[in-house]
């Protein structure tokens, strides 16, 4: 475990200030006595107690939510810290002042000093505990927020892949001069694609029919670029049009089919996206297949990199979040060459007749 | 008499973009004759060798063979010595995305255009190529510079063909090659391997006595082997440097290696010919 020394220094200074404040209060009640003697005792006891507890807690595993030792250790640590701190601190201050508290002090005086130590100790521990807990929570929150932002950025980066974007714009630039009608149609599809990509993270579900429209936008853009090398079929039965699905769930699968299946092949190929229902053990399942006649699965799967298997990981993660084990993604090497990606999850809604 | 009109070849897999480049070139360089337009890297190499143009416009991301690999293959196959020799064409890469850090190319042998191609930028490229073509005496120097730059591009970090993995630094070098043969797996110590050669979907692993096949792509192997021990001498060949006995130059100017323990000769790519120089 690493110790945050800046944090420790801050607490040391806070403890010193607190000890001096305690002895100042004592002095206020007994102005006839000197200030320095109680200050020495207060500092010795306070600092020892703080050191015992604050360094002692690193010997135990801390709880996830507070940063404080869990279970019995969480109670035992301050108790032992206060008792030991009191005894050792008193002895230390005795040596410092050249007196012996145990021999010379009356019972009443001893009771007062024990009382002060207990009260001050509990107050200080409570303060540090609350402080530590909020700092811990803050740190956890920042961490989680950071992860979410990173995931979103990565998703956006894969969807707005620069090759896709600039090649598409280059095609558009050409069409503006030669075929304005087609250029306008292409621009409309770019707009729909961008809008869907940028808003996909905000809505949680949309109808399957809309998901297929977005796939058509993407495939149409790619068809302009690839010309006769890309042919596609979208097969969505009318009964499944209204089934809610997470937005752009299928997008990475179609992108993979093009990028790893069709693009490496000189002759291109055909992509089929097909939605079907199937009866599963716990009710009906929705099954969506993305088949291509492309280059097929690589013999060794590519290691994660920009725009590579991140797409599949992301589809799997979204399925797991929404459906747990009931949502699956299977990649199958098709017998005739090419790849088949199949997403299956429970059908939430009865298909409209 | 006027010199013959300069001739160009375009390799671009997107038909509209190929047409766009042809159109833009007709404006920017009316005297340029486009002798062929091809849609993949393999055809680009074949057509360039057959037609011997003066300028090449290669898209980088193409099916079959990337523009970069096509340029390397062409540089190897180009006749630079003997009666059929011609100056190597001026090379212009065209790409949608600046993954090779374009700035570095401004003053260099190979030019680099970003898609969508802007008219003003294309004019600059045309001027540069025209100057290079006029200066015939510089041809050999330009070819050397092109080779150097291609070599630099092939090894630049982060530069990988789609689907490939970047060479990973800091990984402990491979010591054993596991090659499957039917139901058996042969454990081949890397120390016994004389060379690796990429062949279609496999990589051949050659020892003094035997040959094994593995499926790990050569570019993944490179990242796991000690580059001091194994030298890349060709796009498809990694050789144990300590077993090279002789390097021979043939009449076409190409280098071939002989290895202790093997009888075959291995061709050295022009890209890696700089590794072999007498001390």
């Amino acid at each position: 475990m690493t110790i945050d020394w800046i944090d420790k220094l801050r607490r040391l200074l806070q403890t010193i200030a607190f000890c001096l404040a305690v002895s100042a209060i004592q002095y206020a009640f007994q102005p006839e006595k000197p200030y320095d003697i109680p200050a020495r005792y207060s500092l010795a006891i306070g600092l020892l107690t703080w050191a015992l507890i604050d360094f002692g807690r690193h010997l135990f595993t801390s709880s996830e939510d507070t940063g404080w030792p869990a279970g019995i250790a969480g109670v035992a640590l301050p108790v032992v810290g206060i008792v030991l701190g009191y005894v050792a601190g008193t002895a230390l201050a005795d040596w410092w002042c050249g007196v012996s508290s145990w021999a010379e002090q009356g019972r009443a005086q001893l009771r007062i000093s024990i009382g002060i130590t207990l009260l001050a100790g509990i107050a200080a521990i409570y303060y540090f505990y609350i402080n530590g807990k909020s700092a811990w929570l803050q740190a956890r929150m920042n961490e989680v927020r950071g992860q979410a932002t990173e995931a979103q950025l990565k998703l956006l980066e894969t969807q707005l892949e620069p090759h896709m974007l600039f090649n598409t714009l280059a095609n558009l630039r050409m069409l503006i001069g030669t075929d304005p009608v087609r250029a306008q149609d292409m621009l409309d599809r770019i707009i729909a694609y961008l809008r869907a990509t940028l808003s996909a993270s905000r809505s949680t579900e949309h109808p399957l029919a809309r998901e297929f429209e977005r796939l058509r936008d993407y495939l149409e853009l790619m068809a302009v670029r690839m010309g006769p090398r890309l042919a596609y079929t979208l097969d969505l039965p009318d009964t499944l049009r209204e089934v809610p699905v997470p937005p752009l769930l299928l997008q990475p699968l179609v992108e993979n089919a093009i990028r790893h299946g069709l693009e490496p092949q000189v002759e291109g190929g055909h992509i089929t996206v097909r939605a079907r229902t199937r009866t599963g053990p716990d009710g009906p399942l929705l099954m969506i297949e993305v088949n291509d006649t492309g280059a097929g699965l690589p013999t060794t799967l590519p290691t994660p990199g920009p725009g590579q298997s991140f797409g599949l990981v992301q589809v799997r993660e979204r399925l797991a979040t929404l459906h747990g084990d009931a949502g699956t993604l299977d990649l199958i090497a098709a017998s005739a060459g090419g790849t088949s990606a199949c997403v299956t999850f429970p059908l939430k809604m009865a298909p409209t007749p | 008499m006027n010199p013959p009109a300069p001739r160009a070849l375009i390799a671009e897999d997107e038909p509209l973009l190929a047409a766009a480049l042809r159109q833009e070139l007709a404006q920017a360089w009316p005297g340029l004759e486009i002798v062929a337009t091809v849609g993949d890297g393999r055809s680009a190499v074949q057509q360039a060798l057959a037609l011997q143009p003066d300028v090449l416009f290669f898209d980088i991301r193409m099916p079959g063979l990337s523009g970069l690999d096509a340029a390397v293959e062409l540089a190897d196959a180009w006749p630079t010595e003997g009666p059929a020799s011609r100056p190597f064409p001026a090379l212009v890469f065209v790409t949608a995305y600046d993954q090779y850090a374009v700035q570095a190319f401004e003053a260099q042998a190979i030019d680099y255009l970003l898609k969508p191609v802007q008219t003003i930028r294309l004019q600059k490229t045309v001027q540069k190529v025209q100057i290079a073509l006029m200066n015939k005496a510089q041809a050999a120097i330009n070819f050397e510079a092109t080779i150097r730059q291609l070599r630099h591009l092939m090894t630049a970090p982060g530069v990988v063909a789609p689907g490939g993995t970047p060479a990973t630094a800091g990984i402990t070098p491979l010591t054993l090659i596991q090659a499957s043969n039917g139901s058996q797996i042969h454990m081949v110590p890397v120390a016994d391997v004389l060379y690796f050669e990429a062949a279609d979907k496999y990589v051949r692993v050659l020892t003094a006595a035997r040959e094994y096949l593995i499926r790990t792509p050569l570019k993944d192997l490179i990242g796991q082997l000690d580059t001091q021990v194994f030298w890349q001498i060709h796009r498809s060949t990694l050789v144990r440097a300590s077993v090279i006995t002789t390097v021979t130059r043939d009449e076409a100017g190409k280098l071939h290696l002989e290895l202790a323990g093997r009888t075959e000769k291995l061709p050295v790519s022009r890209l890696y010919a700089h590794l072999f120089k007498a001390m």
Side-chain angles (χ1 to χ4, degrees):
Chain A
M1 168 180 292
T2 53
I3 292 176
D4 181 355
W5 289 103
I6 299 286
D7 194 45
K8 288 280 186 272
L9 179 65
R10 192 172 57 234
R11 284 192 205 167
L12 172 73
L13 292 176
Q14 281 177 332
T15 308
I16 291 173
F18 184 68
C19 292
L20 292 176
V22 168
S23 53
I25 293 169
Q26 253 180 297
Y27 180 63
F29 282 103
Q30 298 170 308
E32 68 284 0
K33 291 194 177 169
Y35 173 72
D36 69 319
I37 301 290
R40 286 179 193 185
Y41 279 89
S42 177
L43 278 175
I45 296 172
L47 286 174
L48 268 176
T49 309
W50 163 75
L52 281 168
I53 296 177
D54 207 9
F55 286 96
R57 75 191 170 98
H58 293 299
L59 300 175
F60 306 94
T61 36
S62 296
S63 139
E64 278 284 299
D65 340 300
T66 56
W68 188 257
I72 191 93
V75 182
L77 183 66
V79 171
V80 171
I82 289 176
V83 171
L84 269 180
Y86 177 72
V87 175
T90 305
L92 185 67
D94 277 354
W95 169 76
W96 193 359
C97 302
V99 292
S100 169
S101 300
W102 314 113
E104 292 162 29
Q105 269 180 353
R107 280 240 171 137
Q109 187 62 38
L110 202 62
R111 232 178 287 151
I112 289 173
S113 68
I114 291 178
I116 291 173
T117 305
L118 263 180
L119 277 178
I122 290 169
I125 288 166
Y126 183 70
Y127 169 76
F128 283 136
Y129 172 78
I130 292 295
N131 221 339
K133 185 170 171 170
S134 73
W136 187 280
L137 286 177
Q138 189 70 41
R140 291 269 307 157
M141 227 158 74
N142 287 343
E143 196 181 310
V144 170
R145 207 175 287 156
Q147 281 167 355
T149 315
E150 201 182 317
Q152 217 166 28
L153 257 180
K154 251 169 108 183
L155 181 62
L156 210 58
E157 228 170 71
T158 40
Q159 282 166 344
L160 295 184
E161 207 254 327
H163 273 281
M164 145 84 189
L165 200 59
F166 292 114
N167 270 318
T168 306
L169 290 174
N171 275 279
L172 182 63
R173 188 178 187 275
M174 168 68 181
L175 282 180
I176 287 173
T178 55
D179 192 345
V181 177
R182 237 176 116 203
Q184 209 161 32
D185 179 59
M186 191 177 186
L187 185 57
D188 285 345
R189 295 201 187 269
I190 295 174
I191 291 167
Y193 175 77
L194 288 180
R195 207 183 288 289
T197 302
L198 291 171
S199 64
S201 54
R202 272 185 278 135
S203 63
T204 52
E205 277 178 338
H206 66 184
L208 191 54
R210 185 162 302 159
E211 178 79 3
F212 269 62
E213 276 169 39
R214 296 292 81 81
L215 292 183
R216 188 183 297 277
D217 284 331
Y218 177 74
L219 285 164
E220 271 303 314
L221 288 179
M222 292 309 294
V224 172
R225 289 181 47 196
M226 296 175 68
R229 292 178 60 225
L230 168 65
Y232 70 91
T233 314
L234 293 177
D235 177 5
L236 174 64
D238 281 344
T239 50
L240 294 175
R241 290 182 61 84
E242 297 304 319
V243 174
V245 291
L248 300 192
L249 180 73
L250 305 175
Q251 176 78 25
L253 303 181
V254 175
E255 262 179 50
N256 275 353
I258 289 193
R259 185 157 172 205
H260 302 296
L262 268 52
E263 266 186 354
Q265 278 202 144
V266 175
E267 67 273 27
H270 191 110
I271 291 181
T272 311
V273 186
R274 180 181 295 129
R276 290 286 181 269
T277 52
R278 192 160 68 86
T279 39
D282 306 309
L285 296 171
L286 177 66
M287 194 171 87
I288 307 165
E289 277 179 304
V290 178
N291 299 321
D292 69 70
T293 60
L297 286 172
T299 45
T300 49
L301 281 176
T303 43
Q308 285 175 14
S309 60
F310 175 73
L312 293 183
V313 172
Q314 185 240 333
V315 173
R316 285 210 169 94
E317 268 173 14
R318 289 179 80 185
L319 282 172
T321 316
L322 289 166
H323 304 287
D325 288 342
T328 58
L329 165 63
D330 298 302
L331 274 189
I332 305 149
S335 51
T339 309
S340 170
C342 185
V343 168
T344 312
F345 55 88
L347 192 59
K348 271 196 207 161
M349 194 186 81
T352 45
Chain B
M1 196 185 115
N2 283 336
R7 302 150 76 240
L9 178 126
I10 294 176
E12 161 70 67
D13 60 324
E14 301 192 21
L16 273 175
L17 298 189
L21 186 58
R22 257 201 318 269
Q23 230 175 56
E24 291 279 349
L25 279 171
Q27 296 281 322
W29 193 348
L32 184 73
E33 182 197 349
I34 312 287
V35 286
T37 306
V38 295
D40 65 280
R42 192 67 58 201
S43 316
V45 177
Q46 282 162 6
Q47 290 298 305
L49 283 174
L51 301 168
Q52 306 220 326
D54 305 289
V55 197
L56 304 171
F57 292 91
F58 276 14
D59 180 20
I60 291 197
R61 225 191 236 196
M62 279 190 294
L65 202 62
S66 84
L68 205 54
D69 286 336
V72 172
E73 222 176 281
L74 189 62
D76 268 335
W78 195 262
T80 49
E81 287 176 34
S85 78
R86 271 183 66 91
F88 192 72
L91 189 54
V92 180
F93 281 131
V94 190
T95 187
Y97 180 52
D98 175 11
Q99 80 196 102
Y100 300 87
V102 177
Q103 298 85 339
F105 286 77
E106 293 282 322
Q108 300 215 23
I110 301 173
D111 207 354
Y112 198 90
L113 281 171
L114 275 184
K115 291 188 269 185
V117 176
Q118 315 270 306
T119 313
I120 293 175
R121 181 65 187 79
L122 182 65
Q123 277 163 358
K124 267 174 86 178
T125 298
V126 167
Q127 277 170 13
K128 212 177 127 176
V129 173
Q130 282 171 339
I131 290 170
L133 291 186
M134 276 196 300
N135 201 343
K136 294 263 198 277
Q138 289 275 318
I141 297 167
N142 282 347
F143 188 41
E144 278 310 308
T146 303
I147 297 260
R148 254 203 317 280
Q149 211 176 333
L150 282 174
R151 185 165 66 231
H152 177 75
L153 281 174
M154 296 296 280
T155 51
V159 175
V160 270
T165 29
T168 32
I171 279 183
T172 42
L174 208 60
T175 51
L176 265 183
I177 300 282
Q178 307 195 12
S180 73
N181 178 11
S183 58
Q184 283 181 320
I185 290 182
H186 291 284
M187 307 296 276
V188 188
V190 169
D192 289 353
V193 177
L194 300 185
Y195 71 96
F196 296 93
E197 189 180 55
D200 201 15
K201 284 186 174 176
Y202 295 91
V203 168
R204 298 169 63 208
V205 180
L206 291 111
T207 65
R210 284 202 53 176
E211 171 179 341
Y212 306 88
L213 290 178
I214 56 172
R215 285 171 177 274
T216 311
L218 200 67
K219 43 179 180 265
D220 289 1
L221 274 178
I222 295 172
Q224 298 175 54
L225 292 169
D226 187 343
T227 50
Q228 299 292 312
V229 176
F230 284 96
W231 291 4
Q232 180 158 22
I233 56 154
H234 195 273
R235 196 164 65 89
S236 57
T237 326
L238 285 179
V239 172
R240 175 178 293 280
S242 61
V243 299
I244 301 171
T245 52
T246 50
V247 184
T248 328
R249 178 185 288 270
D250 67 11
E251 56 275 20
K254 286 173 191 155
L255 301 183
H256 298 269
L257 300 185
E258 278 176 82
L259 307 184
R262 303 285 318 181
T263 50
E264 64 270 30
K265 288 185 172 185
L266 303 180
V268 179
S269 164
R270 282 206 166 111
L271 230 58
Y272 304 102
H274 69 292
L275 291 171
F276 305 100
K277 273 191 201 130
M279 286 173 89

